[in-house]
Amino acid sequence: MMRAISWNVNGLRACVKKGFVDVLKQLDADFFAVQEIKLQEGQIDLDIDGYYKYWHYAKRKGYSGTAIFAKKEPISVRRGFDFDFEDDEGRLLTLEYEDFYFITVYTPNAQPELKRLDFRMDWEDNFRKYLNSLKEKKSVIVCGDLNVAANEIDLKNPKTNVGNPGFSNEERAKFQELLKSGFIDTFRHLYPDKEGIYSWWSYRFNARANNAGWRIDYFLVSDDLKNKIDDSIIHTDIYGSDHCPVELILDK
C-alpha cells in the first residue's frame, strides 16, 4: 500500500503551533504534501525524521508556496512547469519516481468578483497540458487545493454560491475538462453520492461548527491507476487550519 496526505495548512508556521508535526507523525504517510505554506527558505526548522523535504517558495514573502515531505528520495524534482508558463507563486511541485509522478498544486483563487479569473483560466489550461504531458510517460498522482467545488454536492450552499470564486461555471468546466482528459477524482470515484463531507470551512460564521463547508482539496490520479485506488479519505476531525487533510491509499 502507498499512503499520501495533502493539506492546505494556511501558513505552515502557524499550523506547526497547532500540532502539525503530531498530525504528520500520527498519519505516517509515504508522502505528505502541503499548500499555502506562506514562508521563505530558512524561516522554519521542521523536526520530521524519516522524510526528504522539498520546497517551492513564492517570490512574494508570506504568500502561497508548496512543499512535499517524502519517505523515498525521488529521481528528480521540478518546481513549476517544464515549459514557458511562470510559477513565481510557488504553486506547483513535482517529484518523479520510477513508476509515477507525485505532484502537489495550490491552484490560484479567482478572487472576489472573479477579478483573477483570466489568470485562473490560463493556469488551468497550462496545468492540464502539463499533467497530460507527464501522463504520456508514466502514472500521475496529483493532490492539493484546487480551489473549486466540482458539483453541487461538494458544498453546503450551492445555490447561493453560483458565480462565486470556486463555484463559477468557468472554474467547474475547467475541472471537468481535466477529468475528461484522463484523470479520476478519487473521492467521488469511490463515494459518488456521499454528502456533507467537506475539506474547507470559512473562519467566519461558525462555518466549521455548522459544517457549512466546501470540498476543494483533492487527490486525482491518471486513469491507468483506477484499479489501484483503495481509499480516499477526508480527515474532517483534524484541525489546525481552515482546511483539513485529505488522504489517498493506493494498492502498489
Side-chain angles (χ1 to χ4, degrees), residues 133 195 227:
S133 71
E195 298 182 17
N227 294 329

Side-chain angles (χ1 to χ4, degrees), residues 117-181:
L117 185 63
D118 287 347
F119 176 72
R120 169 68 178 261
M121 295 295 98
D122 284 346
W123 172 277
E124 294 281 3
D125 289 338
N126 282 282
F127 183 56
R128 187 178 64 255
K129 173 185 170 185
Y130 176 67
L131 293 187
N132 278 287
S133 71
L134 297 183
K135 182 163 61 74
E136 291 175 1
K137 302 169 188 173
K138 58 183 82 171
S139 301
V140 173
I141 302 164
V142 56
C143 65
D145 176 358
L146 299 188
N147 258 318
V148 63
N151 299 293
E152 290 192 356
I153 195 175
D154 293 312
L155 69 167
K156 179 69 174 286
N157 298 305
K159 288 182 172 55
T160 56
N161 279 292
V162 172
N164 285 339
F167 201 59
S168 68
N169 292 334
E170 295 90 343
E171 292 165 298
R172 294 171 66 195
K174 289 294 184 187
F175 182 79
Q176 295 304 327
E177 199 174 339
L178 175 59
L179 295 186
K180 288 173 184 174
S181 74

Side-chain angles (χ1 to χ4, degrees), residues 11-149:
L12 184 55
R13 286 171 293 180
C15 194
V16 164
K17 293 176 182 176
K18 299 173 184 174
F20 173 82
V21 174
D22 290 337
V23 171
L24 182 143
K25 290 178 178 177
Q26 168 197 332
L27 294 175
D28 191 32
D30 299 290
F31 295 92
F32 205 109
V34 290
Q35 306 88 41
E36 206 173 357
I37 57 174
K38 295 183 177 178
L39 52 80
Q40 313 301 124
E41 185 173 8
Q43 288 190 312
I44 195 168
D45 183 20
L46 271 184
D47 178 22
I48 47 171
D49 292 338
Y51 285 91
Y52 296 92
K53 303 172 203 169
Y54 302 97
W55 307 87
H56 187 20
Y57 307 105
K59 287 184 179 178
R60 177 177 157 192
K61 291 183 178 178
Y63 178 72
S64 189
T66 51
I68 301 174
F69 312 131
K71 286 187 176 180
K72 184 179 178 182
E73 190 173 10
I75 296 169
S76 69
V77 180
R78 180 179 295 133
R79 293 167 178 86
F81 297 88
D82 61 350
F83 49 81
D84 188 23
F85 183 73
E86 190 170 9
D87 176 23
D88 59 4
E89 297 180 352
R91 294 184 178 276
L92 184 63
L93 180 59
T94 304
L95 305 187
E96 179 186 3
Y97 291 88
E98 184 177 347
D99 299 323
F100 62 92
Y101 294 96
F102 186 90
I103 300 161
T104 196
V105 63
Y106 177 36
T107 302
N109 191 299
Q111 299 294 322
E113 299 178 358
L114 303 181
K115 61 186 179 184
R116 211 182 185 199
L117 185 63
D118 287 347
F119 176 72
R120 169 68 178 261
M121 295 295 98
D122 284 346
W123 172 277
E124 294 281 3
D125 289 338
N126 282 282
F127 183 56
R128 187 178 64 255
K129 173 185 170 185
Y130 176 67
L131 293 187
N132 278 287
S133 71
L134 297 183
K135 182 163 61 74
E136 291 175 1
K137 302 169 188 173
K138 58 183 82 171
S139 301
V140 173
I141 302 164
V142 56
C143 65
D145 176 358
L146 299 188
N147 258 318
V148 63

